[in-house]
Amino acid sequence: MSPFSLTCYVTQHNPVKFVKKGFGEKEVEAVLERLDRLTHDEARTTASQTLEVIHSLVQNMRVVMDGEQHTRLLFALC
C-alpha cells in the first residue's frame, strides 16, 4: 500500500480504529487518556494566566484612576 493510499484509507475510515489495530488498543487508550489530561492541564494553565493578566490590568486601572482623583482634588483646592 502506498503512503498516499494509506492516507486516503485513514482519512476516509475511522483513524482511531486503524491506529488501535496497528499499535494495540491499550497503548492507544493510554496515549489518548494522557493527551486528555494534558489538554485539561493546558486549559487550567491558560485560565490561570488569563486571570493574572486581568488582575494586573485592574490593578493598573486603579492606580490610574486614583491618580486622576488626586489630580482633581488638587485642581479643586486651587
Side-chain angles (χ1 to χ4, degrees):
M1 187 179 275
S2 73
F4 177 74
S5 60
L6 180 62
T7 303
C8 290
Y9 176 83
V10 171
T11 56
Q12 291 174 358
H13 295 84
N14 188 344
V16 174
K17 284 183 181 179
F18 177 79
V19 171
K20 282 182 179 179
K21 284 182 182 178
F23 294 103
E25 190 167 336
K26 289 182 182 180
E27 291 84 6
V28 173
E29 289 297 325
V31 169
L32 290 175
E33 287 175 13
R34 179 162 165 66
L35 182 60
D36 190 49
R37 273 196 316 270
L38 290 173
T39 302
H40 287 292
D41 290 346
E42 183 68 26
R44 281 190 291 272
T45 301
T46 301
S48 174
Q49 290 173 343
T50 301
L51 289 174
E52 287 177 14
V53 169
I54 291 170
H55 182 272
S56 177
L57 289 172
V58 169
Q59 291 300 102
N60 288 340
M61 283 294 288
R62 285 185 181 156
V63 168
V64 170
M65 291 172 71
D66 286 346
E68 287 180 8
Q69 289 173 355
H70 292 302
T71 304
R72 287 182 191 167
L73 287 174
L74 289 175
F75 284 125
L77 294 173
C78 293

